Amino acid sequence: MRSFTYERARTPAEAAASAMRKPDAKFIAGGTNLLDLMKLEIETPAHLIDVNGLALDKIEPTQEGGLRIGALVRNTDLAADARVRRDYGVLSRALLSGASGQLRNMATTAGNLLQRTRCPYFYDTNQSCNKRKPGSGCAAIGGFSRQHAVIGVSEACIATHPSDMAVAMRALDATVETVRPDGATRTIPIAEFYRLPGDTPHIETTLMPGELITAVTLPKPVGGKQIYRKVRDRASYAFALVSVAAIVQRDGTGRVALGGVAHKPWRVEAAEAQMPRGAKAVAAQLLADAKPTRENSFKLALAERTLGAVLAEAKG
């Protein structure tokens, strides 16, 4: 591991300002992803800014009837919160399907949103990866691509986003609250938070340099049957081949977002109008522009069948 300097921030604005002054800085909270990447020298920050003392670990009701989740709320606590389990069941189920109990005890809400891809070519520094080293190429294209994205891909990257929580957040229309280095705040709809790879896959979100996530806000509960189903190669310690976050109302309408298929949680609102007609109609629109490889084309049928199982469960 390379040497680095360290500081404990006292306020969110101070943390953001410090990150702006030191371009090679990284925020650290639970460290469940960052520390692994530092050990492998994929991430080599010269300075770490510890944000654990910023009192961003509360789950509070909003005036609009939703919930405001602090950036430092641990995944275990968020999944177990009675309000989340009652009103946002898809989020609780998504969190419990990810990682292990030990990791969920450390992982934070903001860190979960910002975790890096688990593409093996990204983790292997002997392989070319535009996400790790811009302009070096993408070894996954033409390589072993069974786990990779089938939609929203580019000639520069076919990696998937690993978060289960983010898929549920996308279905719930969450918003991300941040503070900038100048102390100004903003809110970003999660639909606009993640970027597709294009020719800059190393730029994964719309966050500006130094910008710090302070909270995630959930809107007023929408009710309905909420289901998260994750299909993976083994029952634990595995990322999704395909996952489905669905909210289904009594009349068959609802929302659906997919994980494991794209560079970001994948939701196409126009496709949701087809939900009363069944999974095949939804999947046809949801994955209309898919560009799978020979090795991962099975994900298209798997997504449709998983969605079909979810809709059948929702109908009871």
Side-chain angles (χ1 to χ4, degrees), residues 45-89:
H47 185 67
L48 289 183
I49 303 168
D50 190 331
V51 297
N52 281 296
L54 299 185
L56 301 175
D57 57 352
K58 304 292 191 299
I59 304 173
E60 302 169 312
T62 66
Q63 292 183 346
E64 295 73 24
L67 284 181
R68 186 176 186 271
I69 304 161
L72 296 175
V73 172
R74 307 293 163 166
N75 287 177
T76 294
D77 296 330
L78 182 57
D81 186 270
R83 295 160 295 184
V84 174
R85 294 176 63 189
R86 181 188 67 226
D87 298 327
Y88 307 97

Short mmCIF file of all heavy atoms in Angstrom, two decimals, residues 45-89:
data_model
loop_
_atom_site.label_atom_id
_atom_site.label_comp_id
_atom_site.label_asym_id
_atom_site.label_seq_id
_atom_site.Cartn_x
_atom_site.Cartn_y
_atom_site.Cartn_z
N PRO A 45 -5.18 7.11 -3.52
CA PRO A 45 -5.34 8.47 -3.00
C PRO A 45 -4.12 8.91 -2.20
O PRO A 45 -3.54 8.12 -1.44
CB PRO A 45 -6.57 8.35 -2.10
CG PRO A 45 -6.62 6.91 -1.70
CD PRO A 45 -6.10 6.15 -2.89
N ALA A 46 -3.76 10.17 -2.38
CA ALA A 46 -2.65 10.72 -1.60
C ALA A 46 -3.13 11.22 -0.24
O ALA A 46 -2.32 11.44 0.66
CB ALA A 46 -2.00 11.86 -2.37
N HIS A 47 -4.46 11.38 -0.11
CA HIS A 47 -5.01 11.94 1.12
C HIS A 47 -6.38 11.33 1.37
O HIS A 47 -7.21 11.24 0.45
CB HIS A 47 -5.11 13.46 0.99
CG HIS A 47 -5.55 14.15 2.24
ND1 HIS A 47 -4.78 14.20 3.38
CD2 HIS A 47 -6.69 14.83 2.53
CE1 HIS A 47 -5.42 14.89 4.32
NE2 HIS A 47 -6.59 15.27 3.83
N LEU A 48 -6.64 10.91 2.60
CA LEU A 48 -7.95 10.37 2.98
C LEU A 48 -8.63 11.34 3.93
O LEU A 48 -8.02 11.82 4.89
CB LEU A 48 -7.81 9.01 3.65
CG LEU A 48 -7.39 7.83 2.78
CD1 LEU A 48 -7.37 6.55 3.60
CD2 LEU A 48 -8.31 7.67 1.58
N ILE A 49 -9.91 11.59 3.67
CA ILE A 49 -10.71 12.47 4.51
C ILE A 49 -11.76 11.62 5.20
O ILE A 49 -12.71 11.13 4.56
CB ILE A 49 -11.37 13.58 3.68
CG1 ILE A 49 -10.31 14.37 2.91
CG2 ILE A 49 -12.19 14.50 4.57
CD1 ILE A 49 -10.88 15.28 1.85
N ASP A 50 -11.61 11.40 6.49
CA ASP A 50 -12.52 10.57 7.28
C ASP A 50 -13.78 11.39 7.58
O ASP A 50 -13.72 12.43 8.24
CB ASP A 50 -11.83 10.16 8.57
CG ASP A 50 -12.61 9.10 9.34
OD1 ASP A 50 -13.85 9.07 9.23
OD2 ASP A 50 -11.98 8.33 10.09
N VAL A 51 -14.93 10.89 7.11
CA VAL A 51 -16.20 11.61 7.29
C VAL A 51 -17.08 10.98 8.35
O VAL A 51 -18.24 11.38 8.52
CB VAL A 51 -16.96 11.73 5.95
CG1 VAL A 51 -16.17 12.54 4.94
CG2 VAL A 51 -17.29 10.34 5.38
N ASN A 52 -16.56 10.02 9.09
CA ASN A 52 -17.39 9.30 10.06
C ASN A 52 -17.91 10.16 11.19
O ASN A 52 -18.91 9.82 11.82
CB ASN A 52 -16.61 8.11 10.63
CG ASN A 52 -16.59 6.92 9.68
OD1 ASN A 52 -17.62 6.34 9.38
ND2 ASN A 52 -15.41 6.59 9.18
N GLY A 53 -17.26 11.28 11.45
CA GLY A 53 -17.67 12.13 12.56
C GLY A 53 -18.62 13.25 12.19
O GLY A 53 -18.81 14.20 12.97
N LEU A 54 -19.25 13.17 11.03
CA LEU A 54 -20.06 14.29 10.54
C LEU A 54 -21.53 14.21 10.94
O LEU A 54 -22.34 14.99 10.44
CB LEU A 54 -19.96 14.37 9.00
CG LEU A 54 -18.55 14.61 8.46
CD1 LEU A 54 -18.59 14.81 6.95
CD2 LEU A 54 -17.90 15.82 9.12
N ALA A 55 -21.89 13.29 11.80
CA ALA A 55 -23.28 13.19 12.30
C ALA A 55 -24.30 13.07 11.16
O ALA A 55 -25.37 13.66 11.20
CB ALA A 55 -23.62 14.41 13.19
N LEU A 56 -23.94 12.27 10.17
CA LEU A 56 -24.85 12.04 9.04
C LEU A 56 -25.40 10.61 9.11
O LEU A 56 -25.57 9.95 8.08
CB LEU A 56 -24.10 12.25 7.71
CG LEU A 56 -23.51 13.64 7.48
CD1 LEU A 56 -22.70 13.67 6.19
CD2 LEU A 56 -24.61 14.71 7.43
N ASP A 57 -25.69 10.15 10.31
CA ASP A 57 -26.09 8.75 10.50
C ASP A 57 -27.51 8.61 11.03
O ASP A 57 -27.83 7.64 11.70
CB ASP A 57 -25.12 8.06 11.46
CG ASP A 57 -25.03 8.76 12.82
OD1 ASP A 57 -25.59 9.86 12.96
OD2 ASP A 57 -24.39 8.20 13.73
N LYS A 58 -28.39 9.54 10.69
CA LYS A 58 -29.77 9.51 11.16
C LYS A 58 -30.74 9.20 10.01
O LYS A 58 -30.48 9.54 8.86
CB LYS A 58 -30.16 10.85 11.78
CG LYS A 58 -29.26 11.31 12.92
CD LYS A 58 -29.40 10.43 14.14
CE LYS A 58 -28.70 11.05 15.36
NZ LYS A 58 -27.25 11.25 15.16
N ILE A 59 -31.85 8.56 10.36
CA ILE A 59 -32.97 8.37 9.44
C ILE A 59 -34.13 9.18 9.99
O ILE A 59 -34.62 8.90 11.09
CB ILE A 59 -33.37 6.88 9.32
CG1 ILE A 59 -32.17 6.03 8.89
CG2 ILE A 59 -34.51 6.71 8.31
CD1 ILE A 59 -32.44 4.53 8.92
N GLU A 60 -34.57 10.19 9.25
CA GLU A 60 -35.55 11.14 9.78
C GLU A 60 -36.70 11.33 8.81
O GLU A 60 -36.50 11.30 7.59
CB GLU A 60 -34.88 12.49 10.05
CG GLU A 60 -33.70 12.42 11.01
CD GLU A 60 -32.90 13.70 11.06
OE1 GLU A 60 -32.56 14.21 9.97
OE2 GLU A 60 -32.63 14.19 12.17
N PRO A 61 -37.91 11.56 9.32
CA PRO A 61 -39.04 11.84 8.42
C PRO A 61 -38.91 13.22 7.79
O PRO A 61 -38.33 14.13 8.38
CB PRO A 61 -40.25 11.79 9.36
CG PRO A 61 -39.69 12.11 10.71
CD PRO A 61 -38.30 11.54 10.74
N THR A 62 -39.43 13.36 6.58
CA THR A 62 -39.44 14.66 5.90
C THR A 62 -40.83 15.28 6.00
O THR A 62 -41.82 14.59 6.29
CB THR A 62 -39.07 14.51 4.42
OG1 THR A 62 -40.10 13.75 3.75
CG2 THR A 62 -37.74 13.78 4.27
N GLN A 63 -40.91 16.57 5.76
CA GLN A 63 -42.20 17.27 5.81
C GLN A 63 -43.15 16.74 4.74
O GLN A 63 -44.38 16.84 4.90
CB GLN A 63 -41.98 18.77 5.63
CG GLN A 63 -41.27 19.43 6.79
CD GLN A 63 -41.14 20.93 6.60
OE1 GLN A 63 -41.35 21.45 5.50
NE2 GLN A 63 -40.80 21.64 7.67
N GLU A 64 -42.60 16.18 3.66
CA GLU A 64 -43.42 15.66 2.57
C GLU A 64 -43.94 14.25 2.85
O GLU A 64 -44.70 13.70 2.04
CB GLU A 64 -42.63 15.67 1.26
CG GLU A 64 -42.24 17.05 0.76
CD GLU A 64 -41.11 17.69 1.57
OE1 GLU A 64 -40.33 16.93 2.20
OE2 GLU A 64 -41.00 18.94 1.57
N GLY A 65 -43.55 13.66 3.96
CA GLY A 65 -44.02 12.33 4.29
C GLY A 65 -43.07 11.22 3.93
O GLY A 65 -43.40 10.03 4.08
N GLY A 66 -41.87 11.57 3.46
CA GLY A 66 -40.88 10.56 3.11
C GLY A 66 -39.87 10.36 4.21
O GLY A 66 -40.13 10.64 5.37
N LEU A 67 -38.69 9.89 3.84
CA LEU A 67 -37.60 9.67 4.79
C LEU A 67 -36.32 10.28 4.24
O LEU A 67 -36.03 10.18 3.04
CB LEU A 67 -37.37 8.18 5.03
CG LEU A 67 -38.34 7.41 5.92
CD1 LEU A 67 -37.89 5.97 6.03
CD2 LEU A 67 -38.45 8.05 7.31
N ARG A 68 -35.56 10.87 5.14
CA ARG A 68 -34.23 11.39 4.80
C ARG A 68 -33.20 10.49 5.47
O ARG A 68 -33.17 10.38 6.70
CB ARG A 68 -34.06 12.83 5.25
CG ARG A 68 -32.75 13.48 4.81
CD ARG A 68 -32.72 14.94 5.21
NE ARG A 68 -31.54 15.59 4.68
CZ ARG A 68 -30.35 15.65 5.30
NH1 ARG A 68 -30.23 15.07 6.51
NH2 ARG A 68 -29.33 16.26 4.75
N ILE A 69 -32.37 9.86 4.66
CA ILE A 69 -31.40 8.88 5.14
C ILE A 69 -30.02 9.50 5.08
O ILE A 69 -29.52 9.85 4.01
CB ILE A 69 -31.44 7.61 4.26
CG1 ILE A 69 -32.85 7.03 4.23
CG2 ILE A 69 -30.43 6.58 4.75
CD1 ILE A 69 -33.07 6.09 3.06
N GLY A 70 -29.39 9.66 6.23
CA GLY A 70 -28.05 10.25 6.26
C GLY A 70 -27.05 9.41 5.49
O GLY A 70 -27.16 8.18 5.42
N ALA A 71 -26.06 10.07 4.94
CA ALA A 71 -25.07 9.40 4.11
C ALA A 71 -24.30 8.32 4.86
O ALA A 71 -23.80 7.37 4.26
CB ALA A 71 -24.08 10.42 3.55
N LEU A 72 -24.21 8.45 6.20
CA LEU A 72 -23.42 7.52 6.99
C LEU A 72 -24.26 6.44 7.67
O LEU A 72 -23.75 5.67 8.48
CB LEU A 72 -22.62 8.28 8.05
CG LEU A 72 -21.56 9.23 7.49
CD1 LEU A 72 -20.92 10.03 8.61
CD2 LEU A 72 -20.50 8.47 6.71
N VAL A 73 -25.55 6.38 7.37
CA VAL A 73 -26.38 5.30 7.90
C VAL A 73 -25.86 3.97 7.35
O VAL A 73 -25.68 3.81 6.14
CB VAL A 73 -27.86 5.49 7.51
CG1 VAL A 73 -28.69 4.27 7.90
CG2 VAL A 73 -28.42 6.73 8.17
N ARG A 74 -25.58 3.04 8.25
CA ARG A 74 -25.04 1.75 7.82
C ARG A 74 -26.14 0.91 7.17
O ARG A 74 -27.31 1.00 7.50
CB ARG A 74 -24.45 1.00 9.02
CG ARG A 74 -23.43 1.83 9.81
CD ARG A 74 -22.16 2.13 9.03
NE ARG A 74 -21.41 3.23 9.62
CZ ARG A 74 -20.14 3.53 9.31
NH1 ARG A 74 -19.50 2.82 8.39
NH2 ARG A 74 -19.53 4.53 9.88
N ASN A 75 -25.74 0.08 6.23
CA ASN A 75 -26.70 -0.73 5.49
C ASN A 75 -27.55 -1.60 6.40
O ASN A 75 -28.75 -1.79 6.18
CB ASN A 75 -25.98 -1.60 4.47
CG ASN A 75 -25.44 -0.83 3.28
OD1 ASN A 75 -24.79 -1.40 2.41
ND2 ASN A 75 -25.68 0.47 3.21
N THR A 76 -26.94 -2.17 7.45
CA THR A 76 -27.69 -3.01 8.38
C THR A 76 -28.80 -2.21 9.06
O THR A 76 -29.94 -2.66 9.17
CB THR A 76 -26.75 -3.59 9.44
OG1 THR A 76 -25.84 -4.49 8.80
CG2 THR A 76 -27.52 -4.36 10.51
N ASP A 77 -28.47 -1.01 9.52
CA ASP A 77 -29.44 -0.18 10.22
C ASP A 77 -30.56 0.28 9.29
O ASP A 77 -31.72 0.35 9.70
CB ASP A 77 -28.75 1.03 10.84
CG ASP A 77 -27.75 0.64 11.92
OD1 ASP A 77 -27.97 -0.40 12.57
OD2 ASP A 77 -26.75 1.36 12.10
N LEU A 78 -30.22 0.57 8.06
CA LEU A 78 -31.24 1.02 7.10
C LEU A 78 -32.20 -0.12 6.78
O LEU A 78 -33.42 0.07 6.75
CB LEU A 78 -30.56 1.53 5.83
CG LEU A 78 -31.48 2.08 4.74
CD1 LEU A 78 -32.35 3.21 5.28
CD2 LEU A 78 -30.66 2.55 3.54
N ALA A 79 -31.66 -1.31 6.55
CA ALA A 79 -32.51 -2.45 6.23
C ALA A 79 -33.44 -2.82 7.37
O ALA A 79 -34.56 -3.30 7.16
CB ALA A 79 -31.65 -3.65 5.84
N ALA A 80 -32.98 -2.60 8.62
CA ALA A 80 -33.75 -3.01 9.80
C ALA A 80 -34.72 -1.94 10.29
O ALA A 80 -35.58 -2.24 11.13
CB ALA A 80 -32.79 -3.37 10.93
N ASP A 81 -34.61 -0.72 9.78
CA ASP A 81 -35.48 0.36 10.26
C ASP A 81 -36.95 0.01 10.02
O ASP A 81 -37.33 -0.38 8.91
CB ASP A 81 -35.11 1.66 9.55
CG ASP A 81 -35.87 2.85 10.11
OD1 ASP A 81 -36.98 3.13 9.59
OD2 ASP A 81 -35.37 3.49 11.02
N ALA A 82 -37.78 0.16 11.04
CA ALA A 82 -39.18 -0.24 10.95
C ALA A 82 -39.93 0.53 9.86
O ALA A 82 -40.79 -0.03 9.17
CB ALA A 82 -39.87 -0.03 12.30
N ARG A 83 -39.60 1.80 9.69
CA ARG A 83 -40.28 2.60 8.66
C ARG A 83 -39.89 2.15 7.26
O ARG A 83 -40.73 2.12 6.35
CB ARG A 83 -39.94 4.08 8.85
CG ARG A 83 -40.46 4.68 10.15
CD ARG A 83 -39.72 5.94 10.52
NE ARG A 83 -38.31 5.67 10.84
CZ ARG A 83 -37.46 6.59 11.28
NH1 ARG A 83 -37.86 7.84 11.44
NH2 ARG A 83 -36.20 6.27 11.54
N VAL A 84 -38.64 1.79 7.09
CA VAL A 84 -38.19 1.29 5.79
C VAL A 84 -38.83 -0.05 5.48
O VAL A 84 -39.33 -0.28 4.37
CB VAL A 84 -36.65 1.18 5.77
CG1 VAL A 84 -36.17 0.53 4.47
CG2 VAL A 84 -36.01 2.56 5.93
N ARG A 85 -38.86 -0.93 6.46
CA ARG A 85 -39.46 -2.24 6.24
C ARG A 85 -40.95 -2.13 5.94
O ARG A 85 -41.49 -2.89 5.11
CB ARG A 85 -39.24 -3.12 7.47
CG ARG A 85 -37.77 -3.47 7.71
CD ARG A 85 -37.58 -4.26 8.99
NE ARG A 85 -38.26 -5.55 8.91
CZ ARG A 85 -38.40 -6.37 9.94
NH1 ARG A 85 -37.93 -6.02 11.14
NH2 ARG A 85 -39.00 -7.53 9.80
N ARG A 86 -41.63 -1.18 6.57
CA ARG A 86 -43.08 -1.04 6.37
C ARG A 86 -43.43 -0.35 5.05
O ARG A 86 -44.31 -0.80 4.31
CB ARG A 86 -43.66 -0.24 7.54
CG ARG A 86 -45.19 -0.05 7.47
CD ARG A 86 -45.66 0.90 8.55
NE ARG A 86 -45.16 2.26 8.32
CZ ARG A 86 -44.61 3.01 9.26
NH1 ARG A 86 -44.44 2.55 10.49
NH2 ARG A 86 -44.19 4.23 8.97
N ASP A 87 -42.74 0.75 4.74
CA ASP A 87 -43.14 1.60 3.62
C ASP A 87 -42.25 1.48 2.39
O ASP A 87 -42.66 1.88 1.30
CB ASP A 87 -43.13 3.07 4.07
CG ASP A 87 -44.13 3.34 5.18
OD1 ASP A 87 -45.19 2.68 5.20
OD2 ASP A 87 -43.85 4.20 6.04
N TYR A 88 -41.05 0.95 2.55
CA TYR A 88 -40.10 0.86 1.44
C TYR A 88 -39.47 -0.53 1.43
O TYR A 88 -38.26 -0.70 1.45
CB TYR A 88 -39.02 1.94 1.56
CG TYR A 88 -39.56 3.34 1.72
CD1 TYR A 88 -39.68 3.94 2.97
CD2 TYR A 88 -39.96 4.09 0.61
CE1 TYR A 88 -40.18 5.22 3.13
CE2 TYR A 88 -40.47 5.38 0.75
CZ TYR A 88 -40.58 5.94 2.01
OH TYR A 88 -41.08 7.22 2.16
N GLY A 89 -40.33 -1.53 1.42
CA GLY A 89 -39.88 -2.91 1.54
C GLY A 89 -38.88 -3.32 0.47
O GLY A 89 -37.98 -4.12 0.74
#
